[in-house]
Amino acid sequence: MSHGQVWRTHRQYAATAARWTVDHWRKEAERRRALRAERKPLVRDARRALATARAIDPEGVTPIRHRAERELRTAKRRVPDPLWLFATKTTAALGAAGYVWLPQVPTRVWVWSAVALVAAVTALSVWIAVRVRDTTGLKPTAEESALLKRLQPQHWKEHAEQRGLAGTLTGRPKLTEAGIVCAVRLDGTWTATKLRAAEDHIRALLGARTSLRMQTKAGKQGGWAELILRTRSAADGDDLTWTPERRSLGVDTVTGEQVTVPLGERLLIAGRSGAGKSVASRPLLYDASEGATNALVIIDLKRVEGRLWDHRARVASTPREVVDVVDELETEMLERLSILPKGQDTWTPTPDRPRITIVVDEGAEVMTAADKVPYETETADGKTRTVNRSALPGLESLARMGRAACIDLWWMTQKPTIGDGIPKQIAPQIGVSICLAVRTPAEARVVLGEDAQAKGWNADELPVPGVALIRNGKRKPDPVKVRYMDKAVVIALPDRTPWSRSVAPTVEAAGAPTLTLVKTTAPEEPATDSAVARVLKAIETADEPVRQKDLATITGLSKGAVSKAVKTLTTSSTVARALDGRLTAARGDESAAA
């Protein structure tokens, strides 16, 4: 390389260094200027507060004056000097130190100082390079940095009394994948419940935004509480799109675990309009309709979601269809229970008689539209009359007794109040509650339990859509981000033969006679009471004459209701009573062959 090339290279390096220095100087000057404009008003406020404190306590007896002085010193320290003043002070200090000290330094010290400086610069360069490449640690955002500073014990102690939190003291806050976690020590006047009620005071002390989700619960030992600020989610960065390989319901935002809900549970899925109930239920509906021993029945009077699944599920979308399918399901349940082998608690699903999952999409609509459906029936005297039939008694019976027969009811509603969106007889039978965002704390208590708010199940504070709380007796109140299953994905799923009793095969059960199912042509019950229909079905599907006291157990009705129904049926000659008191259906046509 020639001397000219060397000179040009050095000149380029010098120009680059100069530009970098100028840019760095300009950025640092602007940063300091912005900080001064932001923090100088705080110094003025601190001076006013000190003047007020001196007027109140001129002798300096109470801590209010000392606290004001301390805050003024802190405010002054936080205001940076202008860059020109900082550079001037630094240069003056270095020049004075060099003038006094350098002539007295021996040559040996100079050599070793140079070696130490080179080693320090090398170590610093290596540390910076490693630190830049290290992406495994959690790095706080600007919001989290501010909250972490205000959660420090010193800051909390100085401001707790002003915010009505005297007697509490924070520990060292930690940044986790689910947000900031901090232990809070409580004196004798405080409890975790009382601290939870003071959430507004905590939010004011920390300067936290109103939408930031905050949880307060009892600590791991007495006298302590745990404060959690949900500044981030463990599900952040995860692909929540549903695929056959990712079949979970969603991802826990605190632990990052995959959340699943197994079949065989009676579910309540609730949430206000737009909260995402249909999307949240699709992964569950897929599991319920997949496999040789699973069958899905959807009751959807809105005629939107059920239409997506009609190629692999039995769908009822009119009130008459709802009554008919519930009638079939109740008959199937009673038949399974009648032939269930002695000593066996639950039915064993088979491809011929699978586990059946009944999904009621918008329960409030079913309670209204499928309550009184007119049917024309022929009475014993040959006359035709109109009888109102309801699907609700059958659904209630399926909720109470269907588990042993492997027939599970899932109830979905956007009106999660007892009597409006959830029947009183079905609500106590729910085993798992999936609650998306609801409007009021009262609705959250109906879905998640009366202790919902006390234990942190605040579904009325959930974001919309796609975030749910799942209570099954094991989970903590950690929000779950549900997976998104697109409508096109549902439509593209392989076809399945929908379940129906009209195609049910011959059934054999150990210890029970063989039954061939044939559609009955006997006239329907002459009374309007739905209890009569249920008692008649139980008698017709039994493989032998039934005792009246056993009908209460089979149908789930009270003894009085069974007695009235039997009296109606025997009076109309629909049911015959033998000499030993056992009941059999009148055989106008053969309804069963033994």
Side-chain angles (χ1 to χ4, degrees):
M1 183 181 291
S2 64
H3 291 288
Q5 291 175 332
V6 172
W7 173 251
R8 283 194 296 271
T9 302
H10 282 296
R11 188 170 59 185
Q12 290 175 357
Y13 286 157
T16 302
R19 281 196 301 271
W20 180 86
T21 303
V22 171
D23 292 341
H24 188 71
W25 178 281
R26 186 184 301 110
K27 291 179 181 177
E28 179 64 17
E30 291 176 354
R31 186 184 72 84
R32 287 174 173 267
R33 193 179 302 113
L35 286 176
R36 286 176 61 82
E38 177 184 349
R39 295 176 180 177
K40 284 180 71 175
L42 299 179
V43 176
R44 289 196 296 269
D45 294 342
R47 283 181 177 145
R48 293 194 196 99
L50 179 58
T52 304
R54 285 174 176 170
I56 296 174
D57 182 21
E59 301 297 331
V61 179
T62 62
I64 185 172
R65 177 170 173 177
H66 302 295
R67 187 185 304 117
E69 291 173 349
R70 207 164 45 243
E71 290 179 352
L72 177 59
R73 289 195 297 269
T74 302
K76 286 181 177 180
R77 283 197 302 269
R78 294 186 64 198
V79 179
D81 292 328
L83 189 56
W84 66 268
L85 181 59
F86 174 78
T88 301
K89 289 181 178 179
T90 303
T91 304
L94 291 175
Y99 180 79
V100 173
W101 182 66
L102 289 180
Q104 305 175 11
V105 177
T107 304
R108 183 179 299 176
V109 175
W110 276 104
V111 173
W112 286 109
S113 298
V115 173
L117 180 62
V118 171
V121 170
T122 304
L124 180 62
S125 302
V126 172
W127 177 78
I128 291 175
V130 173
R131 184 170 176 265
V132 170
R133 292 188 180 93
D134 182 16
T135 57
T136 57
L138 293 175
K139 297 180 181 178
T141 62
E143 178 190 25
E144 289 170 339
S145 297
L147 292 172
L148 287 170
K149 289 180 181 178
R150 292 165 186 158
L151 280 170
Q152 294 296 329
Q154 183 179 1
H155 184 275
W156 185 280
K157 184 177 181 180
E158 291 177 357
H159 298 85
E161 184 178 355
Q162 300 174 6
R163 294 295 182 182
L165 297 169
T168 64
L169 183 65
T170 56
R172 295 294 178 186
K174 295 186 223 176
L175 180 61
T176 68
E177 292 182 349
I180 299 174
V181 179
C182 184
V184 182
R185 192 182 69 190
L186 309 173
D187 68 3
T189 62
W190 284 91
T191 63
T193 303
K194 184 178 177 182
L195 187 64
R196 188 182 302 115
E199 179 181 315
D200 291 340
H201 298 281
I202 298 174
R203 199 178 295 276
L205 191 154
L206 299 178
R209 53 188 166 85
T210 307
S211 59
L212 178 63
R213 191 163 177 262
M214 185 181 300
Q215 285 181 284
T216 306
K217 58 183 182 179
K220 296 181 180 178
Q221 56 186 3
W224 287 82
E226 190 173 64
L227 178 64
I228 305 173
L229 306 177
R230 300 296 185 195
T231 56
R232 58 177 65 193
S233 167
D236 290 343
D238 286 358
D239 185 3
L240 293 173
T241 304
W242 183 93
T243 64
E245 293 75 27
R246 294 193 295 265
R247 288 173 53 175
S248 63
L249 175 62
V251 180
D252 192 309
T253 60
V254 176
T255 64
E257 297 176 349
Q258 303 293 322
V259 179
T260 59
V261 177
L263 296 178
E265 298 285 350
R266 287 164 291 188
L267 302 186
L268 172 60
I269 305 176
R272 62 186 178 90
S273 178
K277 295 186 300 301
S278 298
V279 174
S281 65
R282 286 172 189 166
L284 302 176
L285 268 60
Y286 172 82
D287 291 338
S289 63
E290 186 69 10
T293 58
N294 293 322
L296 178 63
V297 176
I298 299 178
I299 297 174
D300 180 20
L301 293 178
K302 295 187 299 181
R303 308 185 186 189
V304 177
E305 189 67 22
R307 192 179 306 169
L308 301 176
W309 298 87
D310 58 6
H311 60 296
R312 57 189 288 121
R314 172 83 175 272
V315 179
S317 56
T318 65
R320 184 176 289 270
E321 289 176 352
V322 172
V323 173
D324 291 341
V325 75
V326 170
D327 182 63
E328 286 187 46
L329 290 165
E330 189 178 14
T331 303
E332 176 72 13
M333 177 189 69
L334 295 174
E335 187 171 283
R336 291 187 184 187
L337 294 178
S338 67
I339 64 177
L340 187 67
K342 187 175 182 179
Q344 184 173 326
D345 295 332
T346 57
W347 181 265
T348 302
T350 64
D352 292 339
R353 305 195 85 164
R355 174 185 297 279
I356 303 174
T357 302
I358 312 163
V359 179
V360 178
D361 192 356
E362 193 40 60
E365 189 68 21
V366 172
M367 293 175 65
T368 303
D371 186 27
K372 294 180 180 181
V373 182
Y375 276 77
E376 290 186 356
T377 61
E378 185 177 345
T379 60
D381 56 2
K383 296 181 180 180
T384 301
R385 60 184 301 181
T386 300
V387 177
N388 289 330
R389 300 182 59 188
S390 174
L392 289 181
L395 290 171
E396 293 170 353
S397 180
L398 289 164
R400 288 192 299 264
M401 303 169 55
R403 186 168 187 176
C406 275
I407 301 178
D408 307 312
L409 179 65
W410 295 358
W411 194 270
M412 299 171 58
T413 182
Q414 61 183 351
K415 296 180 180 179
T417 52
I418 302 296
D420 294 328
I422 309 173
K424 296 180 180 179
Q425 295 294 323
I426 292 179
Q429 311 302 325
I430 299 300
V432 177
S433 298
I434 301 176
C435 190
L436 292 96
V438 294
R439 293 181 178 84
T440 63
E443 293 180 345
R445 288 195 298 270
V446 171
V447 180
L448 298 169
E450 289 298 327
D451 60 345
Q453 284 186 304
K455 294 191 175 181
W457 298 88
N458 301 318
D460 55 307
E461 299 177 1
L462 292 177
V464 177
V467 180
L469 295 175
I470 303 174
R471 191 163 194 180
N472 57 4
K474 301 177 182 178
R475 283 187 51 78
K476 296 179 180 179
D478 299 337
V480 175
K481 277 193 173 182
V482 298
R483 293 199 178 278
Y484 178 75
M485 190 174 184
D486 191 73
K487 296 178 181 179
V489 175
V490 178
I491 296 173
L493 291 174
D495 292 358
R496 296 287 307 276
T497 303
W499 174 87
S500 176
R501 270 185 59 83
S502 62
V503 294
T506 301
V507 180
E508 294 184 3
T514 302
L515 299 176
T516 302
L517 304 179
V518 182
K519 187 175 181 180
T520 178
T521 57
E524 296 190 8
E525 66 277 8
T528 60
D529 191 356
S530 61
V532 176
R534 294 164 68 180
V535 170
L536 178 59
K537 285 177 199 156
I539 296 173
E540 289 177 338
T541 55
D543 57 343
E544 59 183 9
V546 185
R547 294 179 299 179
Q548 181 171 325
K549 65 178 184 178
D550 294 335
L551 290 173
T553 303
I554 296 173
T555 61
L557 298 171
S558 64
K559 292 182 179 180
V562 170
S563 177
K564 293 179 181 178
V566 169
K567 182 177 180 181
T568 301
L569 292 170
T570 53
T571 302
S572 62
S573 301
T574 306
V575 170
R577 189 188 295 273
L579 295 177
D580 60 355
R582 295 175 181 264
L583 302 168
T584 57
R587 304 291 181 174
D589 293 305
E590 289 298 321
S591 59

